[in-house]
Amino acid sequence: MNTWSTRTVPGLAALVTAGLLLSACGAGGRPAGESSSGAPAAAVVGVTDTTIKVGAHYPLTGVAAPGYSEIPDGVKAYFDFVNAAGGIHGRQIEYIVRDDGYNPTNTSSVVNELVLKDEVFAIVGGLGTPTHSAVVDFLNDEGVPDLFVSSGSLGWGDRPAERPMTFGWQPDYEIEGKIIGQWIKENKPDARVGLFLQDDDLGVDGEKGVRRFLGDQIVETVRYTSGNTDVAPQLAKLQAAKADLIIGFNTPSYTALTQLVSMKLSYQPAWFYSSIGSDANLVGALLERFSEGAVKAGGKALDGVYTTEYIPGVDSPDNEWTKLWQKVWAANGNGKDLTNYRIYGMSHAYAFVQALQAAGQDVTRENIVAVLEEKGATFDGPQLAPFRYSKDNHLGIGGLQVTQLKGGAGTELTKVLVTDLGDTPITEDTSGAAQDAPPASGIPGN
């Protein structure tokens, strides 16, 4: 695991000293003096009487940019929607996004800038398992709320005593792997299973969950390093092992690459991609690009593929949450199409606004963490299953459902299933979270 180091940025000691001096003088926070209630108040970094500043890191360029670069579009659109309605407790949300190119070294640099130069109140939705691993300990050492990481790694929530400021948001890869593994065991008991895994916590955690059910069915496991686009050796190895169902815990670019290489090898296994790599429209566009126009599958690129879902997307236009996102995007989008990645961004932005509402007028870094621990498990939102937040657990959504893709839309193969780490059983969700509708205003209340 990469850790943040003072060697990452030249002249860091001076920056740290300057940051401490600025904080002592009240820079970036409420002007020194009184809180809104009239009591004396110390400055809160990133918070004034009229604004609250948050930041994020995303791959706006590079191999992981397709799809993922659209997430902050959705975040910004929802924050703009909230700001147009008066903001939160009279404060406008300022949102700063830095490009890290999905490179952990870059992530260290841009997050350092967000914290020490831009003086953000919190990091919200920072993306990537290898990238966010490079900064998670720095953020906790600095006491910066590290909320709703855009990754399903266990590292964002399974040890809150070590990382008290960090919270996951989406289902973690272990419980996704468990649900995938159980479904295959029950529905494809004779399948010869191969695993195609990103060589980091994404693959490690997913494999851990899958192997709880499929240890005796797995015939081969291969791994890829993000940035290395030659996956022919891995696919040839799966083919040689006669794997007829491959589970992929990988990013969208590698879904397209595995599909393209399989065509070249005349290899036709069934595929089960985890939720992060199964956007059919994006994969179709990537296939066309990678094949230089030879493959034009569009939204049908992943027809027949199995996957999982935990929030409604563009293939559910009649869902009340999707209708809200359509409204938000029409008013505040950038003129491009609404996509599942933009919906993902709006969804975790909604959770952040809900946490701010619950934290109250005199928001601090400490009380937003306390609110999530004490009340986060009851937060509503578009998620199909409840959050798991507590003082002992900072992991996010606790379940999902298995679907099969056709024409870019998912057909439900299971009810919403919930579980937790380890031997926790998998059960059907009875919370009714999947039926929650958004408030009429589109903004969560106190």
Side-chain angles (χ1 to χ4, degrees), residues 158-401:
D158 67 337
R159 44 183 189 242
E162 297 175 29
R163 295 172 173 172
M165 309 304 286
T166 299
F167 290 79
W169 184 77
Q170 67 195 60
D172 63 79
Y173 301 131
E174 181 176 331
I175 70 165
E176 186 171 12
K178 285 174 62 177
I179 290 171
I180 290 171
Q182 177 181 266
W183 187 86
I184 292 173
K185 188 71 173 179
E186 293 177 350
N187 294 276
K188 307 283 184 180
D190 298 323
R192 293 175 59 83
V193 177
L195 302 182
F196 180 80
L197 307 172
Q198 184 163 299
D199 195 11
D200 57 24
D201 285 354
L202 165 56
V204 170
D205 295 345
E207 181 180 10
K208 185 188 303 181
V210 166
R211 285 190 179 274
R212 288 190 172 275
F213 294 90
L214 297 180
D216 58 345
Q217 286 185 243
I218 297 171
V219 298
E220 186 60 88
T221 301
V222 298
R223 305 176 194 279
Y224 74 91
T225 301
S226 185
N228 182 352
T229 57
D230 181 11
V231 296
Q234 290 93 325
L235 270 293
K237 195 172 183 181
L238 291 167
Q239 185 178 31
K242 299 181 179 179
D244 56 22
L245 192 162
I246 300 176
I247 302 171
F249 276 86
N250 56 263
T251 55
S253 293
Y254 286 87
T255 298
L257 288 169
T258 55
Q259 292 295 302
L260 186 60
V261 171
S262 295
M263 294 176 197
K264 293 179 178 179
L265 294 174
S266 298
Y267 181 34
Q268 297 180 322
W271 291 88
F272 200 132
Y273 290 105
S274 65
S275 58
I276 69 165
S278 61
D279 186 283
N281 292 322
L282 174 61
V283 171
L286 291 170
L287 268 173
E288 183 171 352
R289 184 194 308 176
F290 295 163
S291 68
E292 298 181 338
V295 178
K296 295 182 179 180
K300 297 181 180 180
L302 297 182
D303 276 8
V305 161
Y306 301 104
T307 188
T308 61
E309 296 180 4
Y310 54 88
I311 54 173
V314 293
D315 60 333
S316 303
D318 295 329
N319 182 276
E320 293 302 317
W321 286 98
T322 306
K323 290 179 181 178
L324 170 60
W325 307 141
Q326 291 168 337
K327 175 183 176 182
V328 170
W329 189 248
N332 301 283
N334 56 18
K336 298 179 181 179
D337 291 340
L338 179 62
T339 65
N340 287 330
Y341 294 96
R342 292 177 174 123
I343 285 178
Y344 177 102
M346 292 185 209
S347 299
H348 79 237
Y350 183 94
F352 178 65
V353 168
Q354 194 165 188
L356 282 181
Q357 292 276 39
Q361 174 68 37
D362 295 318
V363 64
T364 66
R365 287 171 162 178
E366 293 74 18
N367 72 6
I368 202 166
V369 167
V371 159
L372 285 169
E373 289 182 338
E374 295 167 9
K375 302 179 181 179
T378 67
F379 280 7
D380 62 7
Q383 60 275 4
L384 300 183
F387 293 117
R388 288 170 284 171
Y389 301 136
S390 70
K391 291 183 178 180
D392 300 318
N393 191 346
H394 286 189
L395 293 171
I397 300 168
L400 33 71
Q401 61 185 171

Side-chain angles (χ1 to χ4, degrees), residues 56-143:
H57 63 88
Y58 283 95
L60 305 182
T61 57
V63 66
Y68 293 157
S69 62
E70 298 172 1
I71 294 174
D73 294 347
V75 177
K76 183 178 185 303
Y78 187 69
F79 286 163
D80 287 348
F81 176 79
V82 172
N83 287 341
I88 304 300
H89 302 298
R91 295 187 178 98
Q92 299 284 291
I93 302 172
E94 296 182 359
Y95 182 53
I96 304 173
V97 179
R98 302 288 185 202
D99 179 17
D100 66 5
Y102 207 66
N103 181 315
T105 300
N106 294 346
T107 310
S108 293
S109 177
V110 299
V111 169
N112 177 79
E113 185 176 0
L114 286 165
V115 171
L116 297 178
K117 179 182 177 182
D118 298 312
E119 294 190 301
V120 295
F121 169 76
I123 298 294
V124 180
L127 184 135
T129 299
T131 46
H132 203 73
S133 293
V135 296
V136 61
D137 291 327
F138 164 62
L139 292 172
N140 279 271
D141 289 345
E142 292 293 311

